[in-house]
Amino acid sequence: MKRDVPDIFVIGTDTGVGKTVLSLLLMRYFYDEGFSPFYFKPLQTGCRDPYDTDSDAKFIYDNIEELKGRDPAGSVGFCYRNPKAPYFAARDEGRQVDWKTLPGTLQEKRSRFSPLVVEAAGGIFVPVDGESLVIDTIPSMGAQPLIAARAGLGTINHTLLTIAALERRNIEPLGVVFLDSAEPATPLDMIEENREAIRRFSRVEVAGVVGRVSDFRHPAPECFDGLKKLFARSV
């Protein structure tokens, strides 16, 4: 019997680690399991509007068949042109990030969709406004963090720092997913060593590894192995 799954806040150990790809895989996975998921990007920088080629929401909508013909603007909270931290991108435009309006938007979505897949902007210490960082917004969003991390060199440090910061706030992550878009691919022995180190020095498991995705509309079945490990008991 299908059960409820938590809303998911996709956070990254850094910018460009693959949060949007992981969000896409989550959407595809939950649609295939009979859920009605909803993707939401609270703060988007580096694009003119939700229809821009650099819009994360447009990427999701272009590659999920169930979203064909729907308006990606409904999946974006605030959009700023310059590719930098939301606080500074908004300031460049003479605007302020009123992120405290976003939990209300998400609550309205919960009446129609489940689960919500919320994608953060950058890493957890990215400034959202003059007083708040991304990590400060997590409790208000009502979604449990899933950490997107690189598979290769440097990920041990970045991932353990992210986990430690969450634990200091009593925020429990769902797990970690490695994304490996490197060319050539990260050697398997390095990936396994990285997984071992994160497991050994934190209480969080690396649920899976996603290699380079060649077809975003039809990801290979192995791309979902980590998600099945995380959510199989709920579907």
Side-chain angles (χ1 to χ4, degrees), residues 14-29:
D14 196 358
T15 189
V17 297
K19 296 187 303 297
T20 308
V21 171
L22 180 54
S23 297
L24 174 76
L25 295 175
L26 285 162
M27 291 291 291
R28 181 70 273 153
Y29 173 77

Side-chain angles (χ1 to χ4, degrees), residues 122-148:
I124 60 173
F125 284 123
V126 166
V128 171
D129 58 24
E131 299 178 349
S132 304
L133 306 169
V134 168
I135 193 171
D136 297 314
T137 72
I138 294 175
S140 297
M141 296 298 178
Q144 193 169 0
L146 176 60
I147 302 170

Side-chain angles (χ1 to χ4, degrees), residues 186-228:
T186 303
L188 291 178
D189 60 340
M190 176 178 284
I191 292 176
E192 288 307 311
E193 289 167 355
N194 291 342
R195 294 181 77 159
E196 177 186 349
I198 291 167
R199 180 177 63 250
R200 182 181 297 272
F201 294 104
S202 77
R203 295 174 293 173
V204 181
E205 290 283 341
V206 177
V209 182
V210 177
R212 180 178 286 272
V213 180
S214 58
D215 183 353
F216 289 112
R217 294 190 179 183
H218 304 95
E222 57 267 25
C223 292
F224 302 97
D225 289 348
L227 303 186
K228 290 177 181 178

